[in-house]
């Protein structure tokens, strides 16, 4: 586990960028925290590390948005609006081994989360200050946390 403090949205984007550089296709990043804590801001940084030029914003009306730059693919999933999660919903449909998957509000589907992932938890420490905690589930994810 590792904790970082950011003092602006830009710093959170930079942290996402650092993480993005360490990710490989097929990896899953779960972002936990309340609204406006910086989950999407952090995802923007991951996208920048992958060379994605398109603006990354919350996929409000779809569950998932896909961004591509050359070989790099980013699947940005936001389960905030997912209601009545039932057996018809399968997160695996949105997680692809050819790209990096970032999931906001993952614990809406806590029973069907993958076995290995990087968990990033966001908390507010005041207006622009955020506490961002990284924990790994799985060996390769542990090395990501170690290098941060
Ligand atoms: N340290 C910080 N890190 C991230 N966002 C911050 C920070 N300080 C202020 N903000 C603001 O908080 C909001 C975060 O929004 P967003 O990334 O969409 O959150 P979420 O996806 O968690 O709902 C933005 O308006 C951003 O400018
Ligand atoms: Mg968001």
């Amino acid at each position: 586990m590792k904790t970082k403090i950011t003092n602006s949205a830009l710093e959170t984007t930079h942290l996402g960028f650092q993480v993005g550089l360490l990710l490989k296709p097929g990896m899953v990043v779960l972002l936990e925290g309340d609204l406006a804590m910086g989950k999407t801001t952090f995802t923007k940084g991951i996208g920048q590390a992958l060379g994605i030029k398109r603006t990354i914003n919350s996929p409000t009306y779809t569950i998932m948005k896909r961004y591509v730059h050359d070989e790099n693919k980013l699947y940005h999933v936001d389960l905030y609006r997912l209601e009545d999660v039932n057996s018809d919903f399968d997160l695996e449909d949105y997680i692809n081994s050819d790209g990096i998957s970032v999931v906001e509000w993952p614990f809406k589907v806590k029973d069907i989360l993958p076995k290995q992932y990087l968990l990033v938890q966001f908390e507010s420490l005041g207006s622009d200050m955020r506490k961002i905690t990284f924990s790994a589930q799985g060996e390769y994810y542990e090395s990501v946390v170690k290098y941060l």
Side-chain angles (χ1 to χ4, degrees):
M1 192 148 81
K2 201 169 267 184
T3 297
K4 305 272 179 180
I5 305 285
T6 65
N7 291 291
S8 67
L10 190 61
E11 282 185 26
T12 297
T13 308
H14 284 162
L15 193 53
F17 185 94
Q18 277 181 270
V19 171
L21 294 177
L22 299 170
L23 298 174
K24 299 272 180 289
M27 293 186 82
V28 177
V29 182
L30 307 182
L31 307 183
E32 183 187 20
D34 268 335
L35 280 176
M37 285 302 108
K39 302 181 295 298
T40 299
T41 302
F42 182 85
T43 308
K44 287 177 199 286
I46 293 180
Q48 285 175 11
L50 301 181
I52 287 156
K53 305 284 188 297
R54 241 172 86 207
T55 303
I56 293 175
N57 45 31
S58 290
T60 307
Y61 298 105
T62 52
I63 281 182
M64 192 265 283
K65 274 192 188 171
R66 177 177 181 269
Y67 300 87
V68 181
H69 173 76
D70 294 340
E71 300 292 287
N72 296 336
K73 297 185 183 67
L74 174 64
Y75 299 93
H76 184 202
V77 181
D78 190 337
L79 302 180
Y80 182 63
R81 278 165 212 284
L82 192 68
E83 281 164 15
D84 300 329
V85 182
N86 56 40
S87 52
D88 286 346
F89 182 84
D90 193 352
L91 189 62
E92 294 288 322
D93 294 343
Y94 300 93
I95 290 177
N96 292 277
S97 57
D98 68 341
I100 289 158
S101 301
V102 175
V103 185
E104 298 191 33
W105 300 94
F107 295 107
K108 285 207 162 204
V109 296
K110 59 178 182 310
D111 295 336
I112 55 168
L113 290 173
K115 288 196 180 62
Q116 306 201 355
Y117 52 76
L118 175 67
L119 174 63
V120 190
Q121 291 164 298
F122 296 78
E123 287 167 67
S124 177
L125 296 179
S127 56
D128 288 346
M129 204 190 260
R130 301 286 187 270
K131 180 181 168 192
I132 303 177
T133 306
F134 297 89
S135 34
Q137 208 54 251
E139 209 175 307
Y140 188 80
Y141 294 91
E142 274 162 24
S143 62
V144 171
V145 174
K146 203 170 82 191
Y147 281 111
L148 282 176

Coordinates of all heavy atoms in Angstrom, one line a residue, residues 35 39-40 58 76 78 104-105, ligand 2:
L35 N -18.1 11.3 -5.4 CA -18.1 12.2 -6.5 C -17.2 13.4 -6.3 O -17.0 13.8 -5.2 CB -19.5 12.8 -6.7 CG -20.6 11.9 -7.4 CD1 -21.9 12.6 -7.3 CD2 -20.2 11.5 -8.8
K39 N -11.5 10.9 -9.6 CA -11.3 9.7 -10.3 C -11.2 9.9 -11.8 O -10.3 9.3 -12.4 CB -12.5 8.7 -10.0 CG -12.7 8.4 -8.5 CD -13.9 7.5 -8.3 CE -15.2 8.1 -8.6 NZ -15.6 9.3 -7.9
T40 N -12.0 10.7 -12.4 CA -11.9 10.9 -13.8 C -10.7 11.8 -14.2 O -10.0 11.5 -15.2 CB -13.2 11.6 -14.3 OG1 -14.3 10.7 -14.0 CG2 -13.2 11.9 -15.8
S58 N -16.3 11.8 -18.1 CA -17.1 10.8 -17.6 C -18.0 10.2 -18.6 O -18.7 10.9 -19.2 CB -17.9 11.3 -16.4 OG -17.0 11.6 -15.3
H76 N -12.6 3.0 -20.4 CA -13.0 3.8 -19.2 C -14.5 3.4 -18.8 O -15.4 3.8 -19.5 CB -12.8 5.3 -19.5 CG -13.1 6.1 -18.3 ND1 -13.5 7.5 -18.4 CD2 -13.1 5.9 -17.0 CE1 -13.6 8.0 -17.2 NE2 -13.4 7.1 -16.3
D78 N -17.6 3.5 -16.1 CA -18.2 4.2 -14.9 C -19.5 3.6 -14.6 O -20.5 3.7 -15.3 CB -18.3 5.7 -15.3 CG -18.7 6.5 -14.1 OD1 -19.1 6.0 -13.1 OD2 -18.4 7.8 -14.1
E104 N -14.6 3.2 -12.6 CA -15.1 4.0 -11.5 C -16.3 3.4 -10.8 O -17.1 2.7 -11.5 CB -15.5 5.4 -12.0 CG -14.3 6.2 -12.6 CD -14.5 7.6 -12.9 OE1 -15.3 8.3 -12.1 OE2 -14.0 8.1 -13.8
W105 N -16.5 3.5 -9.5 CA -17.5 2.9 -8.8 C -17.5 1.3 -8.9 O -18.6 0.7 -9.1 CB -18.9 3.4 -9.2 CG -19.0 4.9 -8.9 CD1 -18.7 5.9 -9.8 CD2 -19.2 5.6 -7.7 NE1 -18.8 7.1 -9.2 CE2 -19.1 7.0 -7.9 CE3 -19.6 5.1 -6.4 CZ2 -19.3 7.9 -6.9 CZ3 -19.8 6.1 -5.4 CH2 -19.7 7.5 -5.7
Ligands
LIG2 MG1 -15.9 10.4 -12.6

